[in-house]
Amino acid sequence: MERTLTGIEWLRAMATREAPPSPLDDALGVKLEQIEPGEVTVTLDPQQVHCNPMGVLHGGMAATLFDSSLGCAVQSLLPPGYIAPTMQLQVNYVRPVTVQTGRIYCTGKVIHVGKKSAT
């Protein structure tokens, strides 16, 4: 099914479960919330299992949200049969997230799409 859909059609099908969701995002509880061309928002309801021993959301979980939202934003612009793997990821943390924070949102926005990479 996925190979015949554009990137945005595939993402929307995953969000409605007409196509299988990302196994990693499904296991972690990451959800596709809003899907527009070049802009995708994912959400997570932090749980204790996502936290490090100090009770703060593990940095890898935050990086997963960034990677998912940005990767999906690029994917939303691609024609059928194309994928956009992450080439580089840099994360700067500015404040802690805990279970008490509640639902968190991460929006990826495409700035530029080239022939071999996107920003």
Side-chain angles (χ1 to χ4, degrees):
M1 177 178 181
E2 297 91 31
R3 296 183 191 277
T4 62
L5 301 177
T6 65
I8 197 164
E9 291 169 339
W10 184 30
L11 292 169
R12 288 178 174 161
M14 286 193 304
T16 61
R17 302 277 179 160
E18 294 173 41
S22 157
L24 178 65
D25 288 350
D26 203 33
L28 296 175
V30 176
K31 298 197 178 352
L32 289 164
E33 184 77 20
Q34 186 173 351
I35 304 163
E36 299 299 331
E39 185 173 323
V40 174
T41 299
V42 298
T43 62
L44 175 72
D45 290 310
Q47 305 296 315
Q48 199 61 44
V49 69
H50 300 131
C51 295
N52 63 29
M54 285 71 67
V56 175
L57 186 76
H58 189 279
M61 281 300 304
T64 296
L65 290 177
F66 302 147
D67 189 33
S68 292
S69 65
L70 295 170
C72 288
V74 172
Q75 191 68 41
S76 73
L77 299 174
L78 297 181
Y82 283 80
I83 59 168
T86 302
M87 293 172 48
Q88 183 176 348
L89 178 68
Q90 179 179 331
V91 180
N92 295 317
Y93 302 99
V94 295
R95 66 184 172 105
V97 174
T98 66
V99 172
Q100 291 74 29
T101 302
R103 181 170 291 163
I104 54 176
Y105 299 79
C106 185
T107 301
K109 295 180 185 181
V110 175
I111 298 169
H112 171 77
V113 176
K115 289 183 181 182
K116 297 194 181 229
S117 65
T119 303

